[in-house]
Amino acid sequence: MINVSVIGAGVLGEALIERLLNCGFSVSAYNRPKHKLEKLILKGVRPIESLDKAFVCEQKIWILCLRDEKSIREVFSCEKIIEALKLNKFLIINTSTIGPKGSAKLEGFFKEFNVEYIELPVSGGIEGALSGQLVGYIGNYPKYLRREFDFVLRALLKGHCLMQSNQAAQAMKVVNNYCESINLVVAAEALLLAETYGISKEVIGGSLGLGRGRSVYLELLLERYMSMKCCISVPLEIRIKDLELAGELFHELSIKSRFYDDALELYKKTLCSSSLALDQMDCFAFLSSSVKRGAR
């Protein structure tokens, strides 16, 4: 049985942990708000009470599912953890989206210690994580780690691309997230056009995804529109954070985006519009309510 420790049991982290458990891994997990581990403990997760002690006696494969570079740095700011990193050989796999600049900083940090740090930002949402259907962009890693790393890959991913560096893996994930963000905005506007024209909900649900204009995000939005489900696929705050990383890349490469500013504004306005606006799909509800207010 392969032992893995996971730091971060948020929306994606919880799904990754469940997948690892279902694939027969022995999983330990740490999350700052302890109550988020309660359901996972019932499923067989061993809670990590103290990270500094865990880095001394826990297994050597660690998966990070944290919000950003700052969150990761906070975890590794403890002197006892730093001392443990120096004394033991660890494989740290980062599934978070932190951008190429953040990746370069963390890679430099971990190189000071006895640590192999690999970027593995993933795409596919909660559903993909639970079913092992994620896609991953992998930073280059030493061949001697292939056995341990491949076990993790086979459990979590349906496909992956080996990039030339950790920074390239993060850059590709940022580009992917930018595509997702813009596709969702276009899908929301398309749905709004059909609805405002007066086409019935049933007809919209049965016809909008039939043409070549369909996309994964159109299908996801239609599913939410037809079922009126209230659940979190990607939290709005995370979507905004990831979109801002794309803005950094546009600025760094001196490329003027035709869509970035409008998309970012829409997501931010959606977040501010209501305490109930928690998920990326809520941008359609915001657009729809804006049109209705304008028609009064």
Side-chain angles (χ1 to χ4, degrees), residues 7-238:
I7 301 178
V11 175
L12 180 62
E14 181 180 354
L16 288 177
I17 290 169
E18 287 200 31
R19 175 64 184 176
L20 289 168
L21 286 172
N22 291 337
C23 289
F25 286 77
S26 172
V27 183
S28 302
Y30 174 84
N31 198 73
R32 197 165 286 172
K34 303 294 185 185
H35 69 274
K36 287 194 173 183
L37 292 177
E38 291 174 357
K39 289 191 300 182
L40 294 169
I41 291 171
L42 293 175
K43 296 179 180 180
V45 165
R46 291 181 291 116
I48 296 173
E49 298 296 335
S50 173
L51 270 181
D52 57 340
K53 293 179 181 177
F55 268 96
V56 173
C57 62
E58 284 286 337
Q59 51 270 7
K60 307 307 181 188
I61 302 176
W62 290 78
I63 297 177
L64 307 181
C65 301
L66 298 169
R67 176 185 172 87
D68 50 26
E69 179 206 347
K70 180 182 177 183
S71 302
I72 296 172
R73 281 191 171 277
E74 287 175 355
V75 166
F76 293 95
S77 62
C78 172
E79 285 298 325
K80 290 183 178 179
I81 293 178
I82 290 174
E83 287 303 313
L85 294 180
K86 293 176 181 177
L87 296 173
N88 299 282
K89 191 70 174 178
F90 293 101
L91 168 60
I92 295 181
I93 303 167
N94 178 33
T95 64
S96 314
T97 303
I98 60 173
K101 285 186 177 179
S103 173
K105 291 177 183 177
L106 285 177
E107 188 177 83
F109 170 78
F110 284 115
K111 273 185 178 177
E112 297 179 19
F113 313 112
N114 196 26
V115 172
E116 292 290 352
Y117 176 73
I118 300 173
E119 298 287 8
L120 179 59
V122 294
S123 179
I126 301 170
E127 301 84 359
L130 290 171
S131 61
Q133 295 295 296
L134 292 173
V135 171
Y137 307 96
I138 306 172
N140 211 351
Y141 63 99
K143 289 184 178 179
Y144 74 87
L145 290 173
R146 186 160 291 168
R147 181 178 178 275
E148 293 89 343
F149 193 51
D150 281 355
F151 276 119
V152 176
L153 293 186
R154 284 197 292 271
L156 300 181
L157 307 181
K158 71 170 181 179
H160 65 270
C161 183
L162 183 62
M163 309 299 291
Q164 67 265 36
S165 67
N166 277 330
Q167 289 72 56
Q170 283 290 341
M172 197 67 248
K173 181 55 167 51
V174 169
V175 172
N176 174 79
N177 283 354
Y178 181 66
C179 290
E180 292 183 4
S181 302
I182 301 303
N183 280 334
L184 179 54
V185 171
V186 173
E189 286 192 336
L191 183 56
L192 181 63
L193 274 174
E195 184 183 74
T196 305
Y197 186 80
I199 300 174
S200 72
K201 182 175 181 177
E202 291 71 23
V203 174
I204 291 173
S207 63
L208 188 54
L210 292 178
R212 294 179 68 183
R214 66 185 180 276
S215 68
V216 170
Y217 268 97
L218 178 59
E219 292 168 1
L220 289 172
L221 187 56
L222 276 174
E223 180 185 351
R224 186 73 63 92
Y225 177 69
M226 298 302 295
S227 66
M228 300 302 291
K229 288 193 300 185
C230 294
C231 58
I232 305 290
S233 62
V234 175
L236 262 170
E237 289 184 344
I238 298 297

Side-chain angles (χ1 to χ4, degrees), residues 282-296:
D282 293 327
C283 65
F284 169 72
F286 174 76
L287 284 176
S288 182
S289 63
S290 298
V291 167
K292 290 172 182 175
R293 286 196 302 269
R296 289 173 188 165

